[in-house]
Amino acid sequence: MATAPAKLILCGEHAVVYGRPAIALPLADVRATATVTANYSTNESIINAPDLGGRWSIAERPDDPLSGLVKTVIERFGISPQIEITIRSAIPIASGMGSGAAIATAIVRELLALSGQTLPPAVIAGLVYESERGYHGTPSGIDNTVVAFEQPIWFQRRPNLPPLIEPVAINVPLTFVVGDTGIRSPTRLPVGAVRERWQADPVRYEALFDQVAALVVAAREALATGDVPALGHLLNTNHELLREIGVSSTELDQLTAAACAAGALGAKLAGGGWGGVMIALTTPDRATDIATALRAAGATNTLVTTIAPAAAFFPDR
């Protein structure tokens, strides 16, 4: 069985699509899994995804992003197609936590293990990116990258060049409470809406994206120095900018306000927006109270997670 983590974008979502930096974090304790077994009853590859509500052969659904990914990896690495891949995931679908990237990464890792081969994280991220395009249309590439590397990353797209991917140093443990609105919002929808607004008013949106970029730079410094209160303030500011960009919602605003009223150091939506999840930065002693406040404000589920300190070092590209 191979696994891959969920992710949270700490800051920079949406602006990252337009060449600005973003910081993303893997959630080691929330994962998707993939298991491969032999399937000699047919010459087709089967995907069994009970958490996605389906079981299909890649021939039946050739346009499905996961079907395309499985077919690509099987052909590239000479794997027998007579297999069944069972996918399980604890990551809410269309919530902003990278469920699609985690599932796809787990599949690639399991198929590689079956073939007795290994690939560096950057190559796995590239394979998974193609399935991300099927789900999201024009994804930035940040989800598949942070999931494949399983380290905090700085991610920035560059014209005519590979994206800039750097490890991010985290000086002290960070405690987050994740609140789920229960509203499923496929990333391609808010991403597409932002693109339409940017095309209609590029001067305004470029200015908003520049403000987000400056905030991300400051957040990296706060992480490196362990200035958690400053990071909390930056998260609040990022949420306000995301509201101006047009990707928040009444539910997300209610949850971020409830978290701050309960003592969070900062809170923002995380991911595409219009639903999905928000995150609240807190001290460990306030986490339970904030989770309770989020549920009282309408969160359908909450999760307390800790991001461990990390050195700015990639052991394997």
Side-chain angles (χ1 to χ4, degrees):
M1 182 179 70
T3 74
K7 65 83 188 171
L8 293 172
I9 296 182
L10 181 69
C11 50
E13 52 265 89
H14 286 286
V16 72
V17 177
Y18 299 86
R20 277 61 168 194
I23 296 172
L25 309 172
L27 297 187
D29 51 354
V30 185
R31 307 186 74 86
T33 66
T35 306
V36 173
T37 55
N39 173 39
Y40 298 123
S41 61
T42 174
N43 199 39
E44 296 179 325
S45 302
I46 305 295
I47 297 175
N48 180 26
D51 297 323
L52 302 180
R55 184 178 185 274
W56 67 94
S57 73
I58 62 173
E60 290 172 333
R61 290 165 56 173
D63 295 330
D64 183 276
L66 292 183
S67 296
L69 177 66
V70 170
K71 186 174 187 293
T72 295
V73 176
I74 283 176
E75 292 177 350
R76 178 171 173 179
F77 295 99
I79 300 168
S80 167
Q82 294 179 295
I83 55 173
E84 179 164 329
I85 305 168
T86 299
I87 304 162
R88 301 307 303 253
S89 179
I91 308 166
I93 304 298
S95 67
M97 295 180 69
S99 62
I103 288 169
T105 300
I107 288 173
V108 173
R109 287 175 173 170
E110 178 71 347
L111 290 174
L112 287 172
L114 183 69
S115 70
Q117 301 180 66
T118 60
L119 290 176
V123 178
I124 293 175
L127 287 168
V128 171
Y129 181 72
E130 294 307 312
S131 68
E132 286 286 282
R133 290 179 61 188
Y135 284 120
H136 304 311
T138 56
S140 66
I142 192 170
D143 283 18
N144 49 290
T145 303
V146 68
V147 169
F149 277 89
E150 293 205 38
Q151 285 184 252
I153 65 163
W154 171 281
F155 183 94
Q156 187 170 9
R157 297 173 82 171
R158 300 180 292 181
N160 304 315
L161 289 171
L164 176 64
I165 303 165
E166 297 178 342
V168 171
I170 297 180
N171 186 268
V172 295
L174 301 173
T175 300
F176 291 96
V177 183
V178 181
D180 191 346
T181 64
I183 299 169
R184 298 294 162 250
S185 176
T187 301
R188 67 179 182 276
L189 299 181
V191 167
V194 171
R195 182 163 294 278
E196 290 178 2
R197 293 170 185 157
W198 170 71
Q199 290 171 336
D201 193 352
V203 173
R204 175 172 180 254
Y205 276 82
E206 286 292 320
L208 287 169
F209 298 152
D210 284 342
Q211 291 180 67
V212 173
L215 180 153
V216 175
V217 172
R220 189 178 195 176
E221 178 66 18
L223 289 170
T225 60
D227 192 343
V228 180
L231 181 62
H233 174 72
L234 292 166
L235 297 187
N236 287 336
T237 303
N238 197 176
H239 184 74
E240 291 306 313
L241 289 170
L242 288 165
R243 289 184 66 190
E244 288 191 57
I245 289 169
V247 294
S248 190
S249 67
T250 299
E251 295 81 5
L252 286 164
D253 290 344
Q254 288 175 342
L255 293 184
T256 55
C260 290
L265 298 170
K268 62 178 285 290
L269 71 86
W274 288 4
V277 302
M278 50 72 66
I279 57 173
L281 178 64
T282 182
T283 54
D285 61 302
R286 297 296 303 166
T288 299
D289 290 341
I290 291 169
T292 299
L294 289 175
R295 289 191 292 271
T300 58
N301 191 32
T302 59
L303 166 72
V304 178
T305 188
T306 299
I307 306 297
F313 173 69
F314 283 144
D316 180 10
R317 293 299 297 258

